[in-house]
Amino acid sequence: MQKYVQTDLTKIKLLTSHIFPQLLLILVMLIMVILLSVTSPFFLTWDNLRNIFDHSSLYIILALGMTFVISSGGIDLSVGAVAALSGVCMAAAMQGGLEAGLSILGGLIVGGLMGAANGSIISFLKINPFIVTLGVMSLSRGLALIITGGIPIYGFPRDFTWWGNGHIGPFNPPMLLAAFLTVLAAVVLNMSRFGYYTLALGGNEEALRRSGVSIHLYKIIVYILSGVAAALGGLVVTARLNTAEPLAGWMLEMDSIAAVVLGGTSMKGGKGSVAGTVTACLLLGMLRNGLVILSIPSYYQQLVIGIIILAAVIIAEVRSGKNLAFINK
Amino acid sequence: MSKCCTLGKNPFIRLRNIKKSFGHVVALDGVDLDVYPGEVTALVGDNGAGKSTLIKIISGVLYPDEGEISLNGKTYRHLTPPVAIELGISTVYQDLALVDCRDVASNIFLGREPLKARFFVDKKRMNRESEELLRKLKVSIPSVTTPVEFLSGGQRQGIAVARSINQQGKMIIFDEPTAAMGVGESARVLKLIRSLGDEGFAVLIISHNLHHVFSISDRICVLRNGRLVKDFRTENTNPDQVVGFITGSNQRTEEFRKGSTKA
Ligand SMILES: Nc1ncnc2c1ncn2[C@@H]1O[C@H](COP(=O)(O)OP(=O)(O)OP(=O)(O)O)[C@@H](O)[C@H]1O
Ligand SMILES: [Mg+2]
């Protein structure tokens, strides 16, 4: 008898902890779509939806990397600055006469190196990821300013700007890149050994270590992924604006972290949802778009988005607290 | 030096003069220990005697400050978790070392996930083999896809045991395997540990429950204040005598006896 009761309880707990946040997010999104399409006939047009996807693609690319980092129990505050640094490096390389493809590759390598620096310091020296990535953020921003002398670099070959505003059927490269990376991230996080270890790192690093797995290696790879994702973000921003700005990607780390947390990935690590992250990015994109359509001034937009993120985090925290109290009994 | 008569076999692992301190605390102060295949060796001692520290050194989680570890004809200054597992040493830790938010099968296969197409974790196979293993160990759980955070203490223990058996070691170490269990569950786990010994594994078990220790062990080693003070064959001793060595009330008589044999 007791066993069945327990099984039922387990199922309920599972349902509430895993599926509920996702459903809530989709519900909020549906309500927003309905409200916005009622208030503005323009909202549900293909052009506007395309707009939303287009704007969200940059956030999605960075937030996917951040999903791995947060799932592994870490945080990466350097992504915005690394995006800017990578973009600047690509631009400087092209200015120096390198062709677009090689310049892009170089920029991605720079992103990966910054990630490797984050991961190595965090893992080998056991220093808090907040502090380490804050340092790398400042360092990257500084390098970007030094390389450009503080002056944006602009005017790139068509091969490069295509990555920002080319056309592939009804879509553009950033959208397709975001879609491709979404599928890749979902497969890797949920189905590969690396994904298993990312989640185990966040859940119980010591257990993974005692199982004979090299936690240094996997931690470093997680941060390299985040660095490369940031560099891809840098590619999109730079190509889209046809300008490499040393101050590009300002506060992008906050947007990424917000989307990841809003999407149901636990800040404590061990649980990560790629689908949740992407849904949250689209939700935030839709919200920004809606606020523009409703011609709400941009200062208020910042405020509204801040309130929504706080509400989401508080709901998530209260819920996980409840679950814990439940188990301790 | 070992005072214990063992069946003429070679030990699976041989520890010599192991010392380990944490700051001012001397956890191990020159321990010698041999563990033989086909035997259940019980390590007993009061809280803080150094039992967990000793098995962490054997499993490579901690490095000794001094001493040697020999196995497979080789001598090591220290082991690391991958090396220990490679050499066939699996451990069920006192804190279980489970990843709470991951499911049962992922925990049982942690660190040795089977792959298909060289990339994808073979989840189906993991689930199937986990179910089989748990059935064999008679551990009942709702499903192998349940996160372990939702399971009871005994079920979690069962999963930690299943994982160490799944690592297919030659030596299995248990740190207080029955601490979180009820009577029925403990009896099952004890039977399982005894059968591992009979199947030829070198088993090392830590327990505070002398009743359990006497019911399954071939040998009893007593640690006190970081020293291995006595090494008994289980059939040649009794609980009172073992308690005497755990608490130290036998120390005088033992020293006296040693002195008299030397003279
Ligand atoms: N990581 C550590 N840092 C500092 N001191 C430690 C650490 N681990 C163990 N100790 C100390 O070393 C001594 C031996 O501890 P150990 O855990 O090995 O004892 P034990 O025999 O397993 O005890 P118990 O029966 O309570 O599990 C204790 O005094 C303990 O406080
Ligand atoms: Mg202990």
Side-chain angles (χ1 to χ4, degrees):
Chain A
M1 264 299 267
Q2 215 174 355
K3 209 159 132 200
Y4 289 109
V5 175
Q6 200 182 350
T7 310
D8 278 351
L9 264 183
T10 308
K11 269 190 188 145
I12 293 167
K13 284 183 207 164
L14 255 178
L15 205 71
T16 51
S17 71
H18 284 103
I19 303 165
F20 181 80
Q22 245 70 286
L23 285 180
L24 191 69
L25 209 61
I26 291 173
L27 195 73
V28 171
M29 199 150 136
L30 276 180
I31 293 173
M32 252 173 52
V33 169
I34 293 170
L35 279 181
L36 286 170
S37 51
V38 167
T39 33
S40 160
F42 177 66
F43 180 76
L44 262 190
T45 60
W46 165 244
D47 275 349
N48 190 49
L49 288 181
R50 190 181 182 283
N51 225 340
I52 293 173
F53 283 128
D54 187 21
H55 274 261
S56 305
S57 52
L58 171 67
Y59 296 103
I60 290 174
I61 292 168
L62 271 86
L64 287 174
M66 191 68 80
T67 304
F68 278 83
V69 173
I70 293 182
S71 298
S72 78
I75 192 98
D76 189 350
L77 298 178
S78 71
V79 292
V82 169
L85 174 63
S86 308
V88 162
C89 288
M90 293 176 199
M94 283 181 291
Q95 217 179 23
L98 215 60
E99 64 173 271
L102 282 178
S103 308
I104 291 172
L105 189 67
L108 296 182
I109 290 173
V110 168
L113 285 176
M114 298 322 267
N118 276 326
S120 311
I121 298 172
I122 290 165
S123 191
F124 288 121
L125 304 181
K126 297 194 172 66
I127 302 177
N128 189 312
F130 262 101
I131 310 300
V132 174
T133 57
L134 194 66
V136 170
M137 164 171 125
S138 190
L139 185 147
S140 304
R141 199 59 88 181
L143 281 177
L145 284 162
I146 290 167
I147 291 171
T148 56
I151 303 158
I153 304 172
Y154 55 89
F156 306 122
R158 182 80 199 101
D159 284 351
F160 185 81
T161 54
W162 177 85
W163 283 97
N165 39 37
H167 292 280
I168 302 174
F171 305 108
N172 64 17
M175 289 155 103
L176 293 179
L177 187 62
F180 170 72
L181 292 177
T182 299
V183 175
L184 189 68
V187 168
V188 169
L189 186 62
N190 297 312
M191 296 162 87
S192 77
R193 195 178 264 179
F194 171 70
Y196 272 59
Y197 291 166
T198 302
L199 294 169
L201 267 179
N204 187 347
E205 190 178 308
E206 184 60 18
L208 189 64
R209 186 172 86 87
R210 292 188 196 169
S211 296
V213 175
S214 163
I215 57 170
H216 293 307
L217 175 70
Y218 287 93
K219 243 190 206 176
I220 292 169
I221 297 177
V222 164
Y223 283 93
I224 290 180
L225 278 190
S226 179
V228 172
L232 284 169
L235 166 66
V236 167
V237 174
T238 311
R240 204 182 254 161
L241 303 176
N242 199 6
T243 306
E245 256 269 26
L247 294 183
W250 197 255
M251 295 288 274
L252 212 46
E253 58 281 352
M254 290 303 145
D255 292 300
S256 314
I257 294 166
V260 171
V261 173
L262 203 56
T265 294
S266 161
M267 279 297 270
K268 293 198 258 341
K271 279 176 199 161
S273 168
V274 169
T277 294
V278 173
T279 316
C281 285
L282 291 173
L283 186 78
L284 290 175
M286 206 175 271
L287 190 69
R288 287 193 191 91
N289 176 270
L291 294 172
V292 170
I293 289 182
L294 300 176
S295 48
I296 291 169
S298 65
Y299 296 156
Y300 287 89
Q301 292 176 25
Q302 201 66 37
L303 182 82
V304 171
I305 289 173
I307 288 172
I308 287 187
I309 288 165
L310 277 180
V313 175
I314 289 168
I315 290 172
E317 204 48 45
V318 168
R319 289 182 41 71
S320 73
K322 228 196 256 165
N323 274 349
L324 276 183
F326 211 25
I327 289 162
N328 287 342
K329 266 182 207 164
Chain B
M1 266 304 268
S2 175
K3 285 149 267 170
C4 185
C5 39
T6 341
L7 322 161
K9 283 183 284 188
N10 286 325
F12 173 76
I13 188 168
R14 183 187 288 262
L15 305 179
R16 284 297 171 267
N17 193 32
I18 299 293
K19 295 189 180 176
K20 177 76 186 174
S21 304
F22 299 101
H24 296 299
V25 181
V26 180
L28 295 174
D29 191 11
V31 171
D32 294 351
L33 176 70
D34 297 342
V35 183
Y36 292 84
E39 278 192 3
V40 176
T41 304
L43 194 59
V44 298
D46 230 335
N47 296 114
K51 305 181 296 294
S52 295
T53 305
L54 186 62
I55 63 129
K56 280 181 182 157
I57 284 171
I58 299 175
S59 57
V61 169
L62 290 175
Y63 298 172
D65 302 331
E66 269 180 56
E68 289 180 345
I69 304 168
S70 322
L71 74 172
N72 266 352
K74 272 192 203 153
T75 299
Y76 301 81
R77 299 272 307 136
H78 64 78
L79 303 177
T80 64
V83 167
I85 291 171
E86 181 91 350
L87 291 168
I89 302 170
S90 307
T91 310
V92 180
Y93 294 95
Q94 191 167 14
D95 60 12
L96 299 186
L98 296 174
V99 186
D100 282 338
C101 52
R102 302 293 282 157
D103 69 15
V104 172
S106 304
N107 270 285
I108 290 180
F109 277 87
L110 188 66
R112 49 188 357 260
E113 296 78 2
L115 295 185
K116 53 183 182 193
R118 285 175 155 213
F119 178 79
F120 298 101
V121 171
D122 194 344
K123 190 76 176 80
K124 266 197 200 134
R125 185 173 145 200
M126 271 168 54
N127 288 348
R128 180 161 33 82
E129 290 184 7
S130 300
E131 267 164 20
E132 261 166 41
L133 192 56
L134 291 171
R135 199 173 322 121
K136 215 163 70 186
L137 303 182
K138 300 202 174 64
V139 176
S140 65
I141 48 155
S143 147
V144 290
T145 55
T146 315
V148 297
E149 63 191 337
F150 297 133
L151 300 179
S152 75
Q155 289 169 325
R156 292 160 56 83
Q157 196 103 42
I159 288 155
V161 172
R163 176 173 61 201
S164 61
I165 289 173
N166 193 42
Q167 285 170 343
Q168 281 158 3
K170 301 191 198 83
M171 174 178 185
I172 303 189
I173 304 172
F174 295 89
D175 195 352
E176 308 220 17
T178 52
M181 291 186 171
V183 180
E185 264 171 338
S186 321
R188 272 209 302 269
V189 168
L190 290 171
K191 220 171 130 190
L192 172 77
I193 293 173
R194 182 60 253 173
S195 68
L196 291 172
D198 295 337
E199 281 171 36
F201 289 93
V203 179
L204 183 62
I205 172 178
I206 294 177
S207 178
H208 282 291
N209 187 324
L210 284 188
H211 180 65
H212 291 173
V213 166
F214 271 84
S215 68
I216 61 165
S217 68
D218 300 301
R219 258 173 80 206
I220 300 175
C221 299
V222 184
L223 265 186
R224 189 174 65 239
N225 296 333
R227 289 168 187 270
L228 211 151
V229 292
K230 190 70 189 173
D231 185 345
F232 289 115
R233 292 220 60 88
T234 305
E235 69 258 25
N236 297 339
T237 184
N238 59 61
D240 284 343
Q241 200 179 10
V242 172
V243 168
F245 279 95
I246 291 174
T247 56
S249 61
N250 273 14
Q251 195 170 23
R252 287 242 178 87
T253 48
E254 182 68 7
E255 271 166 6
F256 172 74
R257 214 177 288 154
K258 257 190 212 162
S260 64
T261 41
K262 263 180 202 162

